[in-house]
Amino acid sequence: MFSFLPQSSFASGLVSLLLATSNDHGSSASSQKVLRVCVSPACKDDGAIATLHRLTALAPPCLNVIKGGCTSLCGSGPIVEVCDHIDDVQSTKRKRVSDEALIHLLDEFTEEGSDFTPYMRNRLLDGYNCYIEANKAFELKKYQSAIELYEEAIQNGRKPAMALQQAREEYTKNAFESSERYPAGLDWIVTTFRNSCTSRLQLGDIDGARRDAFAATVFSQNNDAASHECLADVCKKSRDALGEYQAVKSAIEQYGVVEQIYSSPMPGIDAVARAEAAKIRGNAEERKRELGFRLAKLERELK
């Protein structure tokens, strides 16, 4: 059975909102089905965010996973609408899509003869399951257990996740949407490396933390501010002021990009999504301000 520990980090919130906005204007293969995950307050209470994240990580190339609005089926969530297009009024509504029901839903759309083999799919499931358990240990500050589980998650799930992302891009004849910053389906890999880095720092494993921090920046294509912050913390621990300066500067730049994205008009999104966008923009502004003080201090030290 699979369970999901909702992430409260800024980076996770950013990816969540991008799932609601970035796919609305991009092109995709005409045969791609759309899964709209209701994220109304009632469905959130039923675990909709967990379902959204898991579907995003595990969905085969023929499925486009996005956020959806209220379906008036409160109390039966998480609700997932299956439709042919993003803005379809007609849809098939699935109730209580979590755990085994979620896997069964994905199995319905897994194409026979796909290059993404059942073996790879099972490895991805195993990796994602370890990631969820690692998050639980991380939240409880059981850092050694978290590290071991994150290692297992990467060992099992990294290659299948990369293969699946490549298959998605080939299926849609297009790379991921530029506004996503990096593929949303790989966010759990990035989070795995970030949290593993933080855990290793807590236990004094600076070399291992540095390795994980670099991996997080690579898998996020240098576009995740939180990954650069992890690298900055590693450099601080190892008394590498120049490295810390460069990492902090990169984090500030990425938060600036986020701030710019969410300061722009977002036509077509509802009031809840607009409020979430404002919150993300505010968090980015706050992180930029705090890191600016840190950068100024480092500049004085390096003179």
Side-chain angles (χ1 to χ4, degrees), residues 5 123-158 188-189 191-193 195-196 199-200 203 212:
L5 180 67
R123 293 276 290 183
L124 179 59
L125 285 171
D126 289 343
Y128 195 82
N129 186 41
C130 288
Y131 161 73
I132 299 307
E133 295 303 315
N135 283 343
K136 294 177 181 179
F138 181 77
E139 291 294 324
L140 293 172
K141 299 183 179 181
K142 296 180 179 180
Y143 296 119
Q144 186 58 47
S145 295
I147 290 169
E148 292 171 2
L149 286 164
Y150 282 132
E151 286 178 342
E152 190 172 351
I154 290 299
Q155 182 177 358
N156 288 331
R158 182 187 61 178
W188 73 276
I189 297 288
T191 302
T192 292
F193 281 120
N195 288 355
S196 180
S199 298
R200 291 182 188 279
L203 298 181
D212 286 339

Side-chain angles (χ1 to χ4, degrees), residues 10-228:
F10 165 74
S12 177
L14 173 59
V15 172
S16 294
L17 183 61
L18 286 172
L19 292 173
T21 60
S22 63
N23 291 326
D24 290 352
H25 309 289
S27 61
S28 62
S30 59
S31 59
Q32 237 187 348
K33 291 283 187 179
V34 175
L35 300 184
R36 288 197 303 241
V37 183
C38 173
V39 290
S40 67
C43 273
K44 282 185 177 180
D45 289 342
D46 289 335
I49 298 302
T51 291
L52 176 68
H53 280 286
R54 185 177 301 173
L55 285 173
T56 302
L58 304 179
C62 62
L63 294 176
N64 181 17
V65 181
I66 63 171
K67 281 184 176 180
C70 183
T71 60
S72 299
L73 291 172
C74 300
S76 299
I79 303 296
V80 175
E81 296 181 89
V82 181
C83 42
D84 292 329
H85 304 287
I86 289 173
D87 54 357
D88 268 359
V89 176
Q90 298 295 327
S91 65
T92 301
K93 297 176 179 62
R94 305 294 181 89
K95 300 178 181 179
R96 298 182 175 86
V97 180
S98 62
D99 299 324
E100 291 183 4
L102 184 150
I103 301 303
H104 290 326
L105 174 61
L106 293 179
D107 285 343
E108 291 180 29
F109 296 96
T110 300
E111 299 178 334
E112 294 185 7
S114 170
D115 290 337
F116 193 69
T117 65
Y119 171 77
M120 295 177 69
R121 179 238 196 214
N122 290 336
R123 293 276 290 183
L124 179 59
L125 285 171
D126 289 343
Y128 195 82
N129 186 41
C130 288
Y131 161 73
I132 299 307
E133 295 303 315
N135 283 343
K136 294 177 181 179
F138 181 77
E139 291 294 324
L140 293 172
K141 299 183 179 181
K142 296 180 179 180
Y143 296 119
Q144 186 58 47
S145 295
I147 290 169
E148 292 171 2
L149 286 164
Y150 282 132
E151 286 178 342
E152 190 172 351
I154 290 299
Q155 182 177 358
N156 288 331
R158 182 187 61 178
K159 289 184 179 179
M162 293 171 64
L164 180 57
Q165 179 58 34
Q166 182 178 356
R168 288 168 178 152
E169 294 176 10
E170 291 176 352
Y171 188 92
T172 60
K173 308 300 182 184
N174 196 7
F176 64 94
E177 299 298 329
S178 59
S179 58
E180 284 183 3
R181 313 283 288 128
Y182 61 91
L186 296 181
D187 181 61
W188 73 276
I189 297 288
V190 176
T191 302
T192 292
F193 281 120
R194 279 203 317 261
N195 288 355
S196 180
C197 171
T198 300
S199 298
R200 291 182 188 279
L201 279 181
Q202 291 293 327
L203 298 181
D205 180 7
I206 295 177
D207 290 338
R210 181 180 290 107
R211 181 179 62 248
D212 286 339
F214 275 123
T217 61
V218 168
F219 275 90
S220 65
Q221 302 183 10
N222 284 315
N223 289 327
D224 178 46
S227 296
H228 289 293

Side-chain angles (χ1 to χ4, degrees), residues 10 14 181 223 225 253-263 277 280-281 284:
F10 165 74
L14 173 59
R181 313 283 288 128
N223 289 327
E253 290 173 356
Q254 293 308 315
Y255 282 126
V257 173
V258 172
E259 182 182 359
Q260 182 178 7
I261 290 173
Y262 289 99
S263 296
I280 288 174
R281 183 177 64 248

